[in-house]
Amino acid sequence: MSTVELTKDNFDEIVSGNDFVLIDFWAEWCGPCKQFGPVFERSSEKNADLVYAKVDTEAQPELAAAFQIQSIPTVMIVRENIAVFSQPGALPEAALEDVIGQARNLDMDEVRASVEEAQQQEAQKQDGQAAGE
């Protein structure tokens, strides 16, 4: 499968429209990004059922900021609209395939329950702070 270029205009459509998206945050001037590019491409050929996307952080600074990308390359995996993995650095091919395998094996019902619990705790914490003001 070819890699899709993500922009602020197509991000929601691509990420929301697919259950499993790997995102490579990169920039043209970044040496490690250039080294990682072929690894990402080979992985996309091995995993044709997944969506591989790239965000050029220079052209899409809003997306980089929205995901608090501070170092590139950064690889992110989004399953069912939940970011389940994000790590800066050029991953070796074996490590990328391992991470993909782990992400495939996640029980997304458990992940959603965990996210919901964390959101409830955060809301309670904010309610407590607001009550103490």
Side-chain angles (χ1 to χ4, degrees), residues 18-75:
N18 295 282
D19 285 343
F20 199 122
V21 182
L22 282 90
I23 304 170
D24 174 18
F25 290 87
W26 70 285
E28 184 65 38
W29 53 263
C30 168
C33 297
K34 289 182 178 185
Q35 292 174 324
F36 180 65
V39 172
F40 196 72
E41 286 300 320
R42 283 192 299 274
S43 180
S44 74
E45 292 164 9
K46 292 181 194 171
N47 298 286
D49 59 320
L50 307 181
V51 174
Y52 283 71
K54 293 179 86 69
V55 174
D56 180 345
T57 58
E58 293 292 304
Q60 302 297 321
E62 303 91 343
L63 285 178
F67 287 96
Q68 300 174 343
I69 302 301
Q70 298 178 359
S71 180
I72 54 174
T74 290
V75 176

Side-chain angles (χ1 to χ4, degrees), residues 37 50 96 104:
L50 307 181
L96 179 60
R104 283 184 187 274

Side-chain angles (χ1 to χ4, degrees), residues 88-109:
L91 294 174
E93 199 159 339
L96 179 60
E97 294 304 318
D98 182 53
V99 166
I100 291 168
Q102 290 180 48
R104 283 184 187 274
N105 291 328
L106 286 173
D107 180 333
M108 290 308 292
D109 289 333

